[in-house]
Every structure is written in structure tokens, then in C-alpha cells.
Amino acid sequence: MTSIGMGRGLDLFREGDFPIYTLTFVRDLTPAELLTRMAVDPETLALRDAVDLSDDLGDDLSDDEEPVVTSGIDGPWTWAWEWGGVHGLDERILSRISVDTEAVVLHYNEKPMHWFKYAVGGEIIVDFHTLQAIEPIGHDPARLDDAMRPLGLVPGQVAPLHSVLALVENAFDIRLRQPEEVDDERWSGRLLPLPN
């Protein structure tokens, strides 16, 4: 059974007020390795709790050129959360982080739109956004059709509200929860600017 409602792993993004974010999920990498592959500035890479994050990088949390990124593990997936950037959408970065594994990227902005990318072994398999009727592209754009169709994610049609969140949850069993305690530590840092 599929769901596009409440009670799933990404409810934080259904319920919360996040005007822009990019979430990158990858299997079989540590948080520090994921951030390193995403080109985090090595001088800023550290384990931080919420207070240290605010003290060290708070002024840059939503910077779109050198965004702050936090990382952790939920279930089998390691995640990276860019507060204001889109580094995870960059094909060079996505190819690099998906080498010898698989990766899922979910971007949201206030246009409003979701952008979804799925990569395996350095190749982008499925790529689409919801700014208009979806038109999946990639190495195998029909790979996720069986998971997408029940959610209303059909080529040539407008995506229903929260359907991309449900795709990420249902097809990949992805979850992401906020740290429960202020002193919970997460790997974090500032991403280097994307090369032209």
C-alpha cells in the first residue's frame, strides 16, 4: 500500500516551513565521506550539536553559493541536508556520490516545485521536476514507473501535492528525523562553491 499522507518518514517536510532545501540520500557511505564527496570545505567539516552549528556557521545557513550542510544516518541511508543550496542536484556531485552505490536527491523551493534525481553507479537514472507536468529523463527514466504511477506521478501530468515525498518514502524506504536533543551531534560543514 502506498501513501501520500501523514505518518511517513519525511513528514517533517510536509508539516514544517522550509522554503528551500536539498536533501541527498546515499547508501553505504559515512556522513563524513558523503560530505567530503559533496565537496565540503575540509576546514569546516566537524561534528557539531545545534548550538555549535549556530555559533560556527549560523550566519551562512541559507547561503546559496557556499551552503551549510548537515549529515546523519536514518536506517540504511546516510543523508545530507543543504539548508539553502542545490549542490546535490549538480550532476558532477551526484555522479561522484553515487559511485559504487545509489543516491536519491530531493530539492524543494517556493516556486513551488520538487526536483527528484536518482543515480546508481555514477549515472543519473531518473530525473524530473514538478514545476510543470512531469517529464522524466535520465539513463532509464521509466525505472521507477511502478512506484510513481500509484502516486499520480505520470509523464505529461501535474504532480499531486506531496507525491514526490511519498515516492522517496515508498520506493526507497527513506526517513529523516530532526535530532531530538539539542546536544545531538551531526557532521556538518560549508560546501565549496560549485565550479562553473
Side-chain angles (χ1 to χ4, degrees), residues 91-106:
E91 290 187 17
R92 297 162 295 187
I93 288 179
L94 185 52
S95 291
R96 187 167 54 236
I97 64 171
S98 67
V99 168
D100 298 324
T101 188
E102 64 181 323
V104 174
V105 177
L106 175 65

Side-chain angles (χ1 to χ4, degrees), residues 80-120:
W81 181 348
E82 295 177 57
W83 295 75
V86 294
H87 282 55
L89 287 175
D90 186 270
E91 290 187 17
R92 297 162 295 187
I93 288 179
L94 185 52
S95 291
R96 187 167 54 236
I97 64 171
S98 67
V99 168
D100 298 324
T101 188
E102 64 181 323
V104 174
V105 177
L106 175 65
H107 169 77
Y108 175 80
N109 64 46
E110 291 182 305
K111 289 183 179 176
M113 70 172 267
H114 279 102
W115 197 332
F116 171 88
K117 290 189 179 193
Y118 173 56
V120 177

Side-chain angles (χ1 to χ4, degrees), residues 20 34 41 80 86 89 105 109 119 126 186 188 192:
I20 183 172
L34 173 56
D41 179 346
V86 294
L89 287 175
V105 177
N109 64 46
V126 180
R186 303 280 188 197
S188 61
L192 296 170

Side-chain angles (χ1 to χ4, degrees), residues 8 13 24 32 36 43 76 117 130-131 133 140 149 156 194-195:
R8 296 300 314 248
F13 300 98
T24 303
T36 299
E43 293 182 12
K117 290 189 179 193
T130 64
L131 190 56
D140 184 3
R149 287 190 181 281
L194 289 169

Side-chain angles (χ1 to χ4, degrees), residues 177-184 186:
R177 292 173 294 278
Q178 283 277 60
E180 293 181 13
E181 303 294 333
V182 173
D183 58 354
D184 281 353
R186 303 280 188 197

Side-chain angles (χ1 to χ4, degrees), residues 128-136 154-159:
F128 69 88
H129 63 79
T130 64
L131 190 56
Q132 60 228 10
I134 68 166
E135 293 298 336
V154 178
Q157 295 185 13
V158 175

